Amino acid sequence: MSVTCEGADGIAVVTLDRPARLNAIDVETADALAAVWRRLRRDETVRAVVLTGAGGRAFCTGLDRAASVPQPPSPYAIDDPLLAIGPKANDLWKPVIAAVDGMACGGAFYLLGEAEFIVAGEDATFFDPHTGYGMVSAYEAVAMAQRMPIGEVARMALMGTAERISARRAYETGLVSEVTAAGEALPAALRAASVIAGYPTEAVQGTVRAVWAAREAARAQALAHAPQLIALGNLPPERQAELFAARGREFRVR
């Protein structure tokens, strides 16, 4: 099991627990996340959720490059195991607060894009490596465009691994709502969750839905274009692997 869930006092803490892989997500982890969100939908004792990563070095580094994801033999169909890893994708409308320490990159934005807000330690960094590996940043860019100015999203997506956004810059651009001392993101997120969990859950969930309704139409239209853009713009997998291997050392040592 690569995702753990525990909690008390109306708060569930969901932890990505693959620190040796920088909390990268393989197919098993993706399935476990979806199962956790579906279980929390039905747990009446849970009124707020905090999502974090184990180990301190990374919140999540996206899809595990070692994961095997078989694809259908059609350019019009792409199986993306990350599409169902978020709370909203699993119809969970209880508030989710993300606590980020260390790296958050690539597929991590599938999760961050479906959190109500993000708390980050001052050592957190955010970046999107897709373009450097010959891949289209589609779902990730759409998710971040709901939180950040378009120019900032474009810069992050286009610069790839060459530039990382600090926690402070993420706060200035609206991606992050609070910056804490290093290692203090989780306690701060828990404090916020405790306040929210103390309010009537019907009003809280209604407010979550209202906030999402304000942006859902534009988001849905943008996401509808993502599969075609990925199919057209991604390099063949073997070429992606070559680029990843060439840049991997830079990615690991930063």
Side-chain angles (χ1 to χ4, degrees):
M1 180 67 169
S2 53
V3 174
T4 59
C5 181
E6 57 181 309
D9 299 325
I11 304 168
V13 178
V14 177
T15 305
L16 295 170
D17 194 14
R18 303 186 75 217
R21 299 293 297 173
L22 297 177
N23 298 320
I25 297 173
D26 58 7
V27 174
E28 179 187 11
T29 308
D31 291 343
L33 273 167
V36 165
W37 301 131
R38 291 194 297 269
R39 176 161 59 85
L40 292 177
R41 285 181 66 216
R42 294 173 171 80
D43 189 339
E44 294 185 3
T45 67
V46 173
R47 300 184 296 279
V49 184
V50 173
L51 172 64
T52 192
R57 293 180 60 201
F59 167 78
C60 174
T61 53
L63 182 66
D64 192 330
R65 295 291 300 186
S68 176
V69 185
Q71 295 296 320
S74 168
Y76 301 103
I78 298 175
D79 285 346
D80 185 343
L82 302 188
L83 282 178
I85 63 172
K88 306 303 179 294
N90 289 279
D91 202 33
L92 177 71
W93 297 95
K94 298 176 183 181
V96 176
I97 304 168
V100 176
D101 283 300
M103 292 184 289
C105 64
F109 296 130
Y110 285 71
L111 292 168
L112 296 180
E114 294 195 12
E116 268 52 69
F117 56 90
I118 301 165
V119 178
E122 62 185 2
D123 63 339
T125 57
F126 303 83
F127 61 102
D128 187 350
H130 279 75
T131 53
Y133 301 145
M135 303 169 69
V136 173
S137 177
Y139 292 106
E140 297 83 0
V142 170
M144 291 302 94
Q146 309 302 307
R147 296 182 176 275
M148 302 165 66
I150 292 295
E152 297 296 330
V153 177
R155 183 181 178 99
M156 179 172 69
L158 294 171
M159 292 293 288
T161 58
E163 184 171 285
R164 303 189 181 199
I165 297 176
S166 68
R168 180 57 56 187
R169 182 60 179 163
Y171 174 79
E172 292 169 351
T173 59
L175 173 59
V176 166
S177 68
E178 180 181 356
V179 178
T180 72
E184 293 299 313
L186 179 57
L190 287 170
R191 287 192 293 272
S194 179
V195 172
I196 296 169
Y199 298 149
T201 190
E202 295 85 356
V204 168
Q205 291 187 45
T207 300
V208 169
R209 283 184 173 269
V211 170
W212 275 79
R215 63 182 186 176
E216 191 57 30
R219 179 174 177 269
Q221 290 182 359
L223 289 176
H225 294 287
Q228 292 82 8
L229 295 172
I230 292 169
L232 288 169
N234 276 16
L235 291 179
E238 59 273 15
R239 181 62 180 137
Q240 293 179 28
E242 291 174 4
L243 290 171
F244 184 80
R247 298 173 183 269
R249 180 172 299 176
E250 174 192 6
F251 177 83
R252 289 191 294 269
V253 301
R254 280 193 170 190

